[in-house]
């Protein structure tokens, strides 16, 4: 499958990314490789094989409903590009 | 041209677990911004979510209470969208294998019964809150609600009007409260609804194009949004326009819906299986256990109250419609065993005090066992009804124990007939004019004389006793 310029622009817009031309080219190349690999997998005969979402035979990993202390918000916001009075600050968005 | 309306609902309900769905932060409402957060619910790289077992338990309970099939092999999926209320840029949800499917809720509107089908119920996480700061022109983000467990309850488009929608929501809310999975406080956003609506001319079989209105959080606003959007769509169609499939924002103050900008509308969530969470397998035993632990649901309770207690249908409808009134009823009944009395007290005094003090039924705080005690005091003729009403007001507002309160304030009725008789005699003696009128044939005057006695007795006598004694004494005059 061919990844077109429109596809890259669309995916970029969904992720709120502004890609430079050369970034678009390399992204196209990489995505095409991934999609083509899926095509190879798609050729395998999976008749009678149940779809799986995990590679490990693990299920039902639970946590009991017990409150533990949260993390200090100074630590939580420490790496944020911008924060104020304990809140993360982001550019204006329509809520 | 006449139009038919087709309505579907997506209801989001915050579960009343102690902790969030994937981390151990508290779900408590409020708190300073970002004080109920950790590395997991803020989506820090390298962290792993671990599912709260209680969420699965509550989801099964909800499914069983709404006649759903429980999906025994469950997975989670990522719903990708980029918006600052979601720190991971995806919401963990269930697209392919929702935990509950194919249920229904029975409603009744104007005497007509109808089943509203539930397509599915899935588990997911709530998002954070954005607050726009006018002063700086920036948006502040608080992740305290982010990761609070949600059930999304999706109905089939079975509603024909707003009344049916409100009946369904009322019933759903009541069920969720009965089974104790959510407090359903709409003003705190723990119950909110998205409405899908389309119209089509009568005779056209194909459904019209639908629009969606998100996060409307009061029953009244939902009813208004439905009416407003229905009118708008009909007007667009009858003036030759076309309905565009889009998300609209209902502005309840203006009474109009507005299209959200198309950029926000890009709904391409690119779902894929959540690799950080392993599948959840629900055994037959698990389902059976939850089924066995389900409390009596509104419908069953209603039938039982009617048969067992022989209460008026209207009273039963009101009481069983709210888990909180049911709790008051059952606790008081346990103490006094007088169903009719308890029901009357709830219908008259409890609801009156709730209205007068602007208290929501769910916030009524007095100990309902005290209502049972109060009824017992009246039954045993320790106090009369008039006194009981005054004591009840104290109970409602200050949660006093009626037995103690009556004793401490000396409110017991005078059960000493001799003392009551003395008062009756003195009243007759001091009101010769009234007595004369009574002898002249005026029955009304008797009530006046009894009233005089009750006044002197400070209301602390059985009016029936006073009546009898008064009649006897008047005979003798
Ligand atoms: Zn957390």
């Amino acid at each position: 499958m061919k990844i077109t310029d429109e596809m890259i622009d669309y995916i970029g817009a969904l992720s709120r990314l502004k890609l430079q031309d050369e970034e678009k080219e390399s992204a196209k190349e990489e995505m095409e490789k991934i999609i083509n690999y899926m095509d190879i997998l798609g050729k395998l005969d999976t008749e009678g094989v149940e779809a799986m979402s995990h590679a490990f035979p693990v299920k039902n990993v639970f946590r009991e409903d017990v409150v533990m202390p949260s993390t200090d918000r100074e630590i939580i916001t420490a790496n944020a590009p911008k924060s104020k009075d304990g809140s993360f600050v982001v550019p204006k968005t329509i809520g | 041209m006449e139009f038919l309306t087709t309505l579907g609902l997506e209801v989001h309900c915050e579960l009343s677990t102690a902790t969030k769905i994937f981390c151990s932060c508290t779900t408590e409402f409020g708190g300073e911004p970002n004080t109920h957060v950790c590395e997991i619910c803020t989506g820090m790289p390298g962290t792993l979510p671990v599912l709260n077992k209680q969420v699965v338990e509550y989801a099964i309970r909800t499914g069983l209470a709404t006649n759903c099939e429980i999906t025994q092999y469950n997975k989670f999926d990522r719903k990708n969208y980029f918006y600052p209320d979601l720190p991971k840029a995806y919401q963990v949800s269930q697209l392919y294998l929702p935990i509950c499917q194919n249920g229904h809720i029975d409603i009744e509107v104007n005497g007509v019964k109808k089943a509203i089908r539930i397509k599915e119920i899935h588990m997911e996480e709530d998002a954070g809150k954005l607050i726009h700061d006018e002063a700086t022109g920036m948006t502040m983000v608080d992740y305290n609600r982010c990761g609070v467990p949600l059930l999304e309850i999706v109905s089939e488009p079975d509603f024909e009007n707003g009344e049916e929608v409100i009946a369904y929501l009322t019933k759903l809310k009541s069920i969720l409260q009965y089974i104790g999975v959510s407090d359903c406080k709409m003003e705190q956003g723990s119950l909110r609804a998205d409405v899908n609506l389309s119209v089509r001319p009568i005779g056209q079989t194909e459904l019209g194009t639908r629009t969606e209105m998100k996060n409307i959080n009061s029953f009244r606003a939902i009813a208004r949004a439905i009416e407003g959007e229905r009118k708008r769509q009909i007007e667009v169609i009858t003036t030759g326009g076309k309905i565009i499939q889009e998300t609209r924002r209902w502005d309840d103050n203006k009474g109009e819906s507005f299209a959200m900008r198309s950029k926000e509308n890009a709904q391409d969530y690119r779902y894929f299986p959540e690799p950080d969470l392993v599948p959840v397998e629900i055994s037959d035993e698990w389902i059976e256990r939850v089924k066995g632990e389900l409390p009596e649901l509104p419908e069953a309770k209603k039938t039982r109250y009617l048969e067992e207690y022989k209460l008026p249908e209207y009273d039963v409808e009101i009481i069983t419609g709210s888990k909180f009134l049911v709790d008051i009823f059952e606790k008081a009944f346990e103490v006094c065993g007088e169903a009719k009395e308890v029901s009357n007290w709830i219908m008259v005094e409890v609801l009156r005090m709730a209205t007068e003090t602007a208290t929501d039924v769910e916030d009524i705080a007095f100990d309902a066992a005290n209502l049972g005690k109060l009824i017992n005091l009246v039954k045993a003729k320790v106090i009369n009804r008039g006194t009981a009403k005054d004591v009840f007001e104290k109970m409602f507002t200050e949660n006093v124990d009626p037995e103690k309160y009556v004793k401490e304030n000396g409110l017991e009725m005078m059960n000493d007939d001799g003392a009551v008789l003395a008062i009756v005699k003195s009243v007759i003696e001091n009101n010769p004019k009234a007595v004369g009128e009574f002898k002249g044939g005026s029955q009304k005057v008797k009530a006046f004389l009894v009233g005089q006695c009750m006044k002197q007795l400070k209301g602390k006598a059985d009016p029936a006793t006073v009546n009898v004694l008064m009649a006897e004494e008047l005979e003798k005059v």
Side-chain angles (χ1 to χ4, degrees), chain A residues 21-80:
Chain A
D21 282 348
E22 62 260 40
E23 287 173 318
K24 278 186 196 171
E25 284 311 312
S26 71
K28 261 161 71 180
E29 221 169 277
E30 283 171 29
M31 270 193 206
E32 227 166 83
K33 269 190 201 156
I34 296 166
I35 297 293
N36 286 340
Y37 180 61
M38 295 301 143
D39 286 342
I40 295 170
L41 289 179
K43 281 184 190 128
L44 291 172
D45 179 12
T46 53
E47 194 59 36
V49 179
E50 221 177 292
M52 63 192 290
S53 54
H54 293 79
F56 309 107
V58 183
K59 61 182 184 194
N60 292 6
V61 176
F62 296 123
R63 180 174 55 75
E64 293 304 317
D65 189 23
V66 178
V67 176
M68 306 278 265
S70 290
T71 310
D72 274 354
R73 62 179 179 176
E74 284 68 34
I75 297 172
I76 287 293
T77 54
N79 289 331

Side-chain angles (χ1 to χ4, degrees), chain A residues 70, chain B residues 20 23-25 36-42 146:
Chain A
S70 290
Chain B
K20 293 186 178 181
C23 66
S24 304
C25 289
H36 302 163
V37 300
C38 69
E39 292 80 349
I40 295 170
C41 53
T42 49
C146 190

Side-chain angles (χ1 to χ4, degrees), chain B residues 163-407:
Chain B
E163 268 184 306
E164 289 182 1
V165 170
I166 302 305
Y168 166 84
L169 286 170
T170 308
K171 191 71 174 285
L172 178 62
K173 180 176 169 183
S174 151
I175 291 172
L176 295 171
Q177 289 177 334
Y178 262 71
I179 60 176
V181 301
S182 174
D183 60 20
C184 296
K185 288 193 172 160
M186 295 192 89
E187 68 282 4
Q188 293 186 359
S190 48
L191 191 74
R192 45 194 204 251
D194 302 348
V195 179
N196 298 309
L197 190 153
S198 69
V199 298
R200 66 180 198 275
I202 287 180
Q204 178 184 318
T205 44
E206 192 193 338
L207 292 181
T209 307
R210 68 191 173 100
T211 60
E212 183 178 36
M213 290 178 289
K214 279 193 176 298
N215 285 342
I216 319 174
N217 62 358
S218 85
F219 284 4
R220 239 175 299 162
I222 289 166
R224 280 195 291 260
I226 289 169
E227 195 43 36
E229 179 61 9
R230 191 183 68 87
K231 278 195 183 139
R232 186 193 70 86
Q233 290 195 9
I234 290 174
E235 193 171 313
V236 169
I237 293 170
T238 49
T239 54
K242 267 184 86 172
I243 303 297
I244 309 160
Q245 182 167 352
E246 61 188 351
T247 303
R248 301 180 67 85
R249 199 196 344 262
W250 174 253
D251 185 329
D252 202 43
N253 293 324
K254 292 202 175 86
E256 276 178 75
S257 70
F258 296 92
M260 288 165 80
R261 287 188 312 176
S262 63
K263 216 168 138 191
E264 301 165 54
N265 252 325
Q267 281 190 0
D268 187 345
Y269 295 129
R270 295 150 294 149
Y271 281 96
F272 64 85
E274 166 58 87
D276 287 346
L277 289 159
V278 297
V280 175
E281 244 178 71
I282 303 167
S283 65
D284 293 337
E285 292 75 39
W286 192 350
I287 297 173
E288 283 311 311
R289 179 180 58 72
V290 177
K291 206 180 266 176
E293 287 170 9
L294 270 187
E296 189 177 35
L297 294 172
E299 245 359 82
K301 208 175 271 293
K302 203 174 123 186
T303 312
R304 184 168 67 84
Y305 278 19
L306 285 171
E307 282 173 8
E308 215 173 295
Y309 303 137
K310 310 262 184 285
L311 298 174
E313 185 154 357
Y314 178 75
D315 298 11
V316 171
E317 191 80 44
I318 298 289
I319 294 171
T320 60
S322 158
K323 179 204 183 266
F324 303 96
L325 293 181
V326 162
D327 286 348
I328 294 173
F329 179 89
E330 298 197 339
K331 227 170 151 189
F333 176 75
E334 209 183 297
V335 173
C336 70
E338 298 281 339
K340 183 82 191 111
E341 280 294 316
V342 177
S343 165
N344 283 344
W345 273 93
I346 291 175
M347 294 301 293
V348 182
E349 295 303 320
V350 175
L351 294 179
R352 179 182 66 83
M353 281 303 286
T355 310
E356 273 177 20
T357 57
T359 309
D360 281 337
V361 170
E362 51 232 63
D363 296 325
I364 293 176
F366 77 88
D367 179 358
N370 285 337
L371 179 57
K373 286 188 192 171
L374 186 70
I375 290 169
N376 278 340
L377 289 174
V378 176
K379 197 165 74 175
K381 299 199 173 208
V382 176
I383 53 174
N384 63 29
R385 274 177 195 278
T387 310
K389 278 186 187 173
D390 298 338
V391 176
F392 176 74
E393 286 188 12
K394 281 278 172 197
M395 265 170 55
F396 190 97
T397 50
E398 295 164 37
N399 198 27
V400 298
D401 178 322
E403 289 168 358
K404 256 171 85 184
Y405 185 80
V406 163
K407 206 164 279 168

